[in-house]
Amino acid sequence: MYHPFVLPFVVGFSVMGVVLVARYIYWLRGMSPGNRQRVLWGFFSRSTLLAVKEILQESLLHLKIFRVNPLLGFMHASLAFGWFMLIVGGKLETWYYTGNFFNPPYYAIFFRYFEPLTEGFWMNGVLLFYMELSLLIVLSGLSIAVVKRIRKKVVGMNNTTRHNPANRIALFFLWMVFPLRLMAESATVAVHGGGSFLTTVTSSLFLSHDWAVWLELPLWWAYSTGLGLFFLALPFSRYLHIPTEMVMLLLKKWGVQPEPGFNPEKGVQAFEVHSCPGCGVCLDVCPAMGAGINSFQSAYFVRQVRAGHNYETIADMCLNCGACKEACPVGISLESLRLDARSHLHRKANFDHRYLHGTMTLWRDTTEVVLYTGCMGRINPKTTQAVKSLLHEAGVKFIHLDEHESICCGRPMALAGAAEQAKMLIQRNRELIHGQNGQLLVTTCPICYRYFSSEYDLNIPVLHHSQFLWQLIETQKLNRHKGNLRYAYHDPCELGRGANCYDEPRNLLYTVGELVALSSERNKALCCGNNIGSLTLAEEQKQKITANTLTVLSENSPDYIVTACPMCKNTLSRQSTLPVRDLAEVMLECKEVNVAGSRTRKKQASVNVTP
Amino acid sequence: MSQQKVAIVGAGPAGLQAAATLVSLGVSVEIFERNGSPGGHLKQWHALFPHFQNATHALNPLLNGVKGITMHLGSKVSEISHNGNTWRLLSDDGLKYESDAVLLTTGFNLFDASRKEEYGYGVYPGVVTSAQLEEMFNGQRPWPFDKSLAAPKIGFVHCVGSRDVKCGNRFCSKVCCVTAVKQAIEIRKRFSDSAVTCFYMDLRMYGLGFEELYHEAQVNHQVQFIRGRLSEASPAVSGKIQVKAEDTLMGRPLKLTLDMLVLMVGMEPAVKLTAQNNHLALGKPGFGDGFMADRELNTPEYLQVTPGLFVAGACKGPASLPDTIQDAKAVSVDVYNFLKTKS
Ligand SMILES: Cc1cc2nc3c(=O)[nH]c(=O)nc-3n(C[C@H](O)[C@H](O)[C@H](O)COP(=O)(O)OP(=O)(O)OC[C@H]3O[C@@H](n4cnc5c(N)ncnc54)[C@H](O)[C@@H]3O)c2cc1C
Ligand code: SF4
Ligand code: SF4
Ligand code: SF4
């Protein structure tokens, strides 16, 4: 049960094992005390079982990729799951054959060489068939992968990741391993007989018995060497993702939280950046791709983080639209990772927030609603006016907190990587909001809304104005009739993917008119191009993104493009040929239609478009 | 030779001047104008920089120069095509006209200030455009504040819709700086206790007499010039407008409460030429579409392969009235020479 050709495999495998264990232990020890606690608690809990299920679904079957792109999913699934089937089958074979559960790992892997002729229904019939079927599945996945490298469109992808040399070496050995296994097993079958549906056919490739005898050992050597070298390269290449992804899923299930600061070689972040397989799903969803910019997408960002240089500038360009985070099958916290990476960039900026404490009044009488329009509200006075008119119409008592002066909610600071400064703004703003004695905070800006709800820990609930307006309609404090204008709704990144608010804006539009369907909407909506997330993307590049987004929004020639974010409205309206409105403006304008009792505004509206 | 014909599109200063020059050279012309009356933007202005010349005094000679020339008013030209030596022109009201050459003098459109919502145009009544201010001077539009107000405070914002990548217009509109200076002086003359502040990026006093006017504004009329872009305009009590800006020379933030805010709107091309099969469409320009290229510079292909198409005046880029008149004369000579080689 031993032959020297197994040595390359044994060496490669052992080195990999040692390196992996060492790295994982180092990463685990770098975790925050809170996260280490979570790991300990989680280890013996039900979450571990759930994680195993998810590992099966995501690491092996790749169901999420499958849902996005079936052919690509099949490629990943057949490679990973087929290989997994081989490992399980190998274990069963050796167990059944020797009667011992524990055998040297190489015995299972090179089983066919050591035991060419097995007997009996289970051994020779079922297991042999199963093993060859598994190999065939892997090979089919492999052939798609090869085709994908050569012609990416075949798998329905517009973009595939570009790889660095270390990865290419690992990739080369990975591609070699399974064909070599097939060849080695076929040679053994040609020499000794046996084999199932696959090798009986392929063994005939050896033409004569002599050839097969002559080639058998060299092929097993080659297979073992290829496998050994692949395992050797694995912890240093992107294939580290194969084991790490599984650990990552466990960690996620155990509830580990993103850790502050930027430490991609320690703690949770290390697991995250090393679990990205570079699958490229994030490329196709990135709005910048459509504008011909392919330098900063998540796959490249993560790769650069692993490489340890140039990641800050890449992180700074991204719009932070969240499309990739939504699509990423591994569930990497791309946004927080990116913001942490940015923290290195703007350290030198000289922020002075001493003025904060002098600004704005604190205590006021009790009121129903505290309205906060934010910095972005200042560039959209029409939206602010419309919201106020609607609140008056519905008889809502409110205070406009930042009518004359305002303090930024802090998210733009956080997006620039200045987390500490953001905290100062949060603190002052929280004092101000609590000081208004309101029952509800309503904001017209999705950026503020998301930040208020996730970072502020307020003592009153917070709603985006679309949600509040919908409540007013539902409680019939505001009344509108259905008109026949057609609206295309643009999901702001911060409100949709950022705060999971998709329905209320649509409900409102549906109440007053028709909502046209779009080819990309809801969590797949495109970014307006001017998300405050990007600090360095050139204006022209942003404008290309805006143009693409406008094409989608104009698809079914609506009467209006409607959005719920001041930034989106500003950006879209500058470039759009169709009129762009905030939801609040639409709701206000519809009142006039209904009061007049006529539907003739459509004409007027289109006249306004061409001044 | 039989008399050759030229179609002129646009009866602004450029079109009117070119028509007069061509007729004096013995060419027959017809003018097509989309508006109900000729004169282009000039007929909206009150007094002209830098000498406060009455705008009608500049317009009348131009109108007199085209007496007897056929002018199609209310005819918006939407298409021109070329067949052999003949140009065909088609207007929205169904007019068709054949000629030996076409001269486009379609001028400019004013930037739509509501595209910069942060300045509050169309939201706060006190926010107006420079063109509307000319109408106020002319008595054709009411002032947005009470005229009996003892000391009105008025602000001017330069470069609205010009030198602004976000609006798709990188270029400078050239005449608005000096127009603001001129208008600021007129305000100071009309409301003796008024306070006027101009917010500029840099002042482009390129023409003869412009710099002198700027000096006069500061010394004789106490107009304040603040270097810095306005960050926002918001409503203040009783219809006033609060503006915030940064004085970048002094390095300090600034807050002012104003009775009227004038936006110095820039120029955008009035039409966009697009080649379609065998004709050229005169359409509405989109975001970032530039002015029509001159024949010598960046000659677009259609101008090369279709000789006989000429452009003059502000449709080639921002220009003052004297620039426009000079250009119209020069291009008319080009047209004349072209017709001569053909006959
Ligand atoms: C606020 C402001 C103040 C100014 N003040 C001064 C000043 O004091 N002194 C000075 O020297 N200059 C001034 N100018 C500049 C001056 O207005 C221009 O130089 C001049 O108007 C340019 O003339 P034009 O004929 O090229 O264009 P326009 O005046 O724009 O005329 C073009 C004509 O073509 C017509 N047209 C367009 N498209 C079509 C079509 N498809 N079919 C038919 N007709 C069409 C238009 O209706 C218009 O009548 C000022 C400009 C501005 C914006
Ligand atoms: S970041 Fe996510 S989507 Fe992008 S390549 Fe990595 S795993 Fe795939
Ligand atoms: S957040 Fe948006 S812009 Fe940034 S990389 Fe992801 S998809 Fe692209
Ligand atoms: S002329 Fe002056 S106001 Fe006009 S665009 Fe140029 S710099 Fe701005």
Side-chain angles (χ1 to χ4, degrees):
Chain A
M1 268 173 35
Y2 172 77
H3 190 282
F5 80 74
V6 304
L7 279 178
F9 158 76
V10 172
V11 171
F13 191 70
S14 314
V15 172
M16 175 189 77
V18 171
V19 173
L20 277 186
V21 169
R23 286 193 95 166
Y24 286 173
I25 290 179
Y26 178 73
W27 292 349
L28 281 168
R29 289 182 48 161
M31 276 191 188
S32 66
N35 275 339
R36 277 209 301 269
Q37 193 71 41
R38 287 184 191 101
V39 171
L40 280 181
W41 279 103
F43 202 88
F44 296 106
S45 71
R46 222 170 64 92
S47 346
T48 309
L49 285 179
L50 290 176
V52 170
K53 181 177 154 221
E54 203 170 315
I55 289 175
L56 210 67
Q57 286 177 344
E58 298 311 328
S59 292
L60 299 173
L61 290 173
H62 292 91
L63 290 185
K64 276 195 194 149
I65 307 188
F66 206 83
R67 252 170 259 139
V68 182
N69 179 337
L71 195 57
L72 189 69
F74 177 76
M75 180 192 103
H76 281 274
S78 51
L79 274 170
F81 194 68
W83 199 350
F84 176 72
M85 283 168 71
L86 280 176
I87 295 168
V88 173
K91 187 86 236 166
L92 290 178
E93 258 182 344
T94 50
W95 185 14
Y96 188 83
Y97 193 78
T98 61
N100 305 324
F101 184 75
F102 293 104
N103 293 291
Y106 66 79
Y107 183 57
I109 289 178
F110 306 112
F111 187 74
R112 198 66 46 221
Y113 176 80
F114 295 117
E115 320 292 347
L117 290 172
T118 46
E119 281 161 11
F121 169 73
W122 283 109
M123 205 57 221
N124 198 35
V126 178
L127 273 172
L128 190 58
F129 178 83
Y130 164 91
M131 289 302 277
E132 297 205 346
L133 180 66
S134 310
L135 185 58
L136 190 65
I137 291 175
V138 177
L139 288 169
S140 66
L142 192 66
S143 39
I144 302 177
V146 175
V147 174
K148 170 183 166 238
R149 273 287 129 204
I150 303 166
R151 287 196 61 90
K152 56 196 179 194
K153 284 268 190 243
V154 177
V155 289
M157 284 182 90
N158 296 324
N159 311 289
T160 187
T161 40
R162 306 176 300 258
H163 291 308
N164 62 17
N167 287 328
R168 281 202 215 115
I169 293 171
L171 183 71
F172 174 76
F173 288 118
L174 179 64
W175 283 8
M176 294 301 294
V177 161
F178 293 100
L180 279 173
R181 176 176 180 139
L182 178 66
M183 295 304 290
E185 290 191 343
S186 308
T188 300
V189 169
V191 176
H192 303 276
S196 186
F197 71 98
L198 185 61
T199 45
T200 40
V201 179
T202 46
S203 62
S204 60
L205 286 173
F206 288 90
L207 303 173
S208 77
H209 186 77
D210 290 349
W211 272 103
V213 171
W214 194 74
L215 278 171
E216 188 189 5
L217 256 183
L219 279 169
W220 283 105
W221 269 101
Y223 172 43
S224 169
T225 312
L227 206 55
L229 284 171
F230 172 71
F231 284 133
L232 201 62
L234 182 138
F236 309 101
S237 75
R238 73 188 183 102
Y239 294 101
L240 179 56
H241 80 81
I242 300 173
T244 313
E245 205 182 321
M246 302 186 196
V247 182
M248 184 64 213
L249 290 172
L250 275 167
L251 293 178
K252 281 257 141 108
K253 273 281 173 304
W254 292 337
V256 297
Q257 298 297 316
E259 287 166 350
F262 187 66
N263 296 305
E265 285 306 325
K266 260 166 90 183
V268 179
Q269 288 181 4
F271 285 102
E272 297 211 279
V273 298
H274 291 285
S275 62
C276 164
C279 65
V281 167
C282 52
L283 302 186
D284 275 353
V285 297
C286 178
M289 258 358 233
I293 311 153
N294 63 346
S295 49
F296 64 74
Q297 281 73 14
S298 291
Y300 304 132
F301 165 67
V302 172
R303 191 180 64 193
Q304 219 51 50
V305 170
R306 283 195 302 238
H309 53 84
N310 284 349
Y311 50 79
E312 297 103 327
T313 36
I314 291 194
D316 218 23
M317 260 193 268
C318 149
L319 293 154
N320 213 49
C321 76
C324 53
K325 181 172 164 259
E326 185 89 10
C328 173
V330 187
I332 302 175
S333 344
L334 292 164
E335 182 180 328
S336 62
L337 202 60
R338 211 178 250 116
L339 296 193
D340 288 332
R342 286 179 179 189
S343 64
H344 288 228
L345 273 178
H346 304 284
R347 280 228 181 104
K348 286 195 211 76
N350 188 16
F351 299 112
D352 182 358
H353 288 129
R354 270 171 306 180
Y355 69 92
L356 277 178
H357 284 275
T359 20
M360 298 163 76
T361 356
L362 224 44
W363 295 96
R364 285 202 239 196
D365 284 346
T366 315
T367 179
E368 208 173 319
V369 163
V370 179
L371 177 66
Y372 185 96
T373 46
C375 320
M376 298 299 160
R378 307 212 163 262
I379 57 170
N380 269 253
K382 282 188 187 157
T383 307
T384 308
Q385 269 193 350
V387 170
K388 285 173 143 183
S389 308
L390 290 167
L391 293 184
H392 281 304
E393 186 190 336
V396 177
K397 252 182 74 188
F398 71 94
I399 280 174
H400 187 180
L401 175 59
D402 53 352
E403 181 170 14
H404 300 294
E405 275 181 298
S406 65
I407 296 176
C408 167
C409 70
R411 183 148 165 83
M413 278 280 169
L415 283 172
E420 283 308 309
Q421 285 78 6
K423 280 205 193 99
M424 298 170 72
L425 297 171
I426 292 179
Q427 203 194 338
R428 177 63 182 159
N429 255 328
R430 197 198 288 117
E431 282 169 16
L432 285 167
I433 294 165
H434 287 176
Q436 304 306 311
N437 267 330
Q439 291 153 18
L440 175 70
L441 176 65
V442 173
T443 175
T444 51
C445 175
I447 305 166
C448 304
Y449 171 62
R450 185 176 171 191
Y451 217 48
F452 285 154
S453 27
S454 68
E455 305 292 320
Y456 265 62
D457 198 16
L458 292 170
N459 63 5
I460 49 170
V462 50
L463 288 180
H464 179 254
H465 71 286
S466 63
Q467 296 167 324
F468 188 59
L469 290 178
W470 177 239
Q471 279 187 5
L472 293 179
I473 293 273
E474 278 195 313
T475 52
Q476 299 191 342
K477 287 188 184 142
L478 266 185
N479 295 297
R480 291 292 183 273
H481 300 290
K482 206 173 177 67
N484 54 8
L485 288 180
R486 301 170 70 249
Y487 302 104
Y489 177 66
H490 168 78
D491 286 287
C493 304
E494 296 280 302
L495 190 64
R497 283 183 294 267
N500 211 9
C501 168
Y502 297 109
D503 293 329
E504 290 90 342
R506 289 184 165 76
N507 291 346
L508 285 173
L509 289 176
Y510 191 72
T511 308
V512 297
E514 248 181 86
L515 193 63
V516 302
L518 303 171
S519 58
S520 294
E521 57 179 328
R522 302 186 78 99
N523 64 349
K524 295 199 179 58
L526 302 176
C527 171
C528 73
N530 207 18
N531 190 313
I532 51 163
S534 178
L535 300 175
T536 42
L537 204 59
E539 203 63 45
E540 285 83 354
Q541 292 180 313
K542 291 184 186 173
Q543 284 170 359
K544 274 192 209 157
I545 298 176
T546 311
N548 288 342
T549 307
L550 280 170
T551 314
V552 171
L553 288 168
S554 318
E555 261 166 11
N556 291 312
S557 24
D559 297 307
Y560 289 96
I561 292 172
V562 183
T563 186
C565 167
M567 201 67 187
C568 296
K569 184 187 140 194
N570 218 268
T571 308
L572 295 174
S573 61
R574 277 197 298 250
Q575 255 169 276
S576 171
T577 41
L578 291 167
V580 182
R581 296 278 189 277
D582 186 89
L583 270 171
E585 291 174 78
V586 172
M587 296 309 286
L588 191 67
E589 282 174 19
C590 286
K591 180 190 169 196
E592 294 161 27
V593 179
N594 295 321
V595 168
S598 77
R599 294 278 182 269
T600 49
R601 268 188 78 84
K602 184 166 178 171
K603 274 249 157 54
Q604 280 178 6
S606 48
V607 171
N608 287 342
V609 184
T610 41
Chain B
M1 86 183 196
S2 71
Q3 206 186 21
Q4 286 175 305
K5 292 189 290 187
V6 174
I8 295 181
V9 184
L16 297 174
Q17 179 60 53
T21 310
L22 283 168
V23 167
S24 74
L25 291 168
V27 180
S28 150
V29 302
E30 289 198 20
I31 307 179
F32 297 81
E33 166 58 50
R34 66 179 174 188
N35 285 337
S37 60
H41 282 92
L42 183 56
K43 64 175 185 287
Q44 276 187 57
W45 308 152
H46 170 249
L48 302 179
F49 58 73
H51 304 299
F52 300 93
Q53 181 199 10
N54 192 323
T56 47
H57 293 172
L59 180 59
N60 286 340
L62 287 168
L63 293 176
N64 290 336
V66 296
K67 277 208 176 116
I69 294 176
T70 312
M71 187 154 11
H72 305 277
L73 296 174
S75 277
K76 184 176 174 189
V77 177
S78 53
E79 197 183 300
I80 47 181
S81 59
H82 183 246
N83 189 2
N85 281 335
T86 315
W87 283 90
R88 269 194 202 88
L89 183 144
L90 190 70
S91 77
D92 267 2
D93 56 344
L95 275 183
K96 288 195 181 82
Y97 181 68
E98 292 198 349
S99 62
D100 300 285
V102 171
L103 175 58
L104 299 177
T105 51
T106 48
F108 64 93
N109 279 349
L110 289 165
F111 176 78
D112 171 13
S114 61
R115 272 168 65 198
K116 282 197 83 73
E117 203 184 310
E118 58 265 46
Y119 292 156
Y121 178 74
V123 191
Y124 316 126
V127 182
V128 300
T129 67
S130 47
Q132 290 175 331
L133 181 57
E134 289 292 317
E135 291 174 3
M136 290 173 208
F137 288 141
N138 274 333
Q140 294 161 341
R141 175 183 283 272
W143 294 86
F145 54 87
D146 186 356
K147 267 207 299 182
S148 59
L149 207 69
K153 291 197 174 63
I154 287 150
F156 286 84
V157 190
H158 289 227
C159 308
V160 175
S162 312
R163 305 178 69 189
D164 185 347
V165 208
K166 289 190 173 166
C167 293
N169 300 334
R170 276 181 172 278
F171 53 84
C172 160
S173 288
K174 210 169 153 185
V175 300
C176 21
C177 268
V178 61
T179 302
V181 173
K182 183 213 74 166
Q183 293 184 331
I185 295 177
E186 280 184 286
I187 291 269
R188 290 285 296 120
K189 285 183 185 160
R190 220 171 257 244
F191 304 97
S192 52
D193 290 323
S194 57
V196 177
T197 314
C198 293
F199 297 93
Y200 69 95
M201 288 209 275
D202 54 42
L203 286 165
R204 307 211 158 166
M205 297 296 153
Y206 71 99
L208 200 63
F210 293 9
E211 188 67 28
E212 293 86 332
L213 196 68
Y214 169 45
H215 188 75
E216 191 190 322
Q218 295 175 83
V219 177
N220 301 348
H221 303 285
Q222 295 80 43
V223 177
Q224 281 264 5
F225 286 88
I226 306 276
R227 198 187 123 198
R229 268 204 161 178
L230 214 66
S231 61
E232 63 175 70
S234 53
V237 281
S238 62
K240 291 183 195 291
I241 308 132
Q242 194 190 60
V243 296
K244 283 187 194 158
E246 174 157 334
D247 183 336
T248 54
L249 292 182
M250 306 293 276
R252 53 163 194 191
L254 204 93
K255 211 166 20 174
L256 280 182
T257 306
L258 302 171
D259 296 291
M260 178 168 82
L261 183 67
V262 185
L263 307 181
M264 301 309 298
V265 284
M267 302 185 183
E268 287 186 329
V271 298
K272 181 195 181 178
L273 282 190
T274 25
Q276 298 177 342
N277 306 327
N278 55 351
H279 68 268
L280 292 169
L282 274 66
K284 190 181 164 232
F287 180 82
D289 281 335
F291 289 90
M292 276 185 248
D294 206 349
R295 270 190 312 144
E296 286 79 22
L297 308 164
N298 302 327
T299 313
E301 267 172 68
Y302 47 81
L303 289 183
Q304 247 171 8
V305 296
T306 52
L309 182 64
F310 296 85
V311 281
C315 59
K316 291 195 288 196
S320 70
L321 194 59
D323 293 349
T324 303
I325 303 279
Q326 295 302 333
D327 189 52
K329 285 184 186 165
V331 174
S332 301
V333 174
D334 284 348
V335 177
Y336 175 74
N337 286 336
F338 165 77
L339 294 175
K340 226 167 57 179
T341 55
K342 254 180 53 175
S343 60

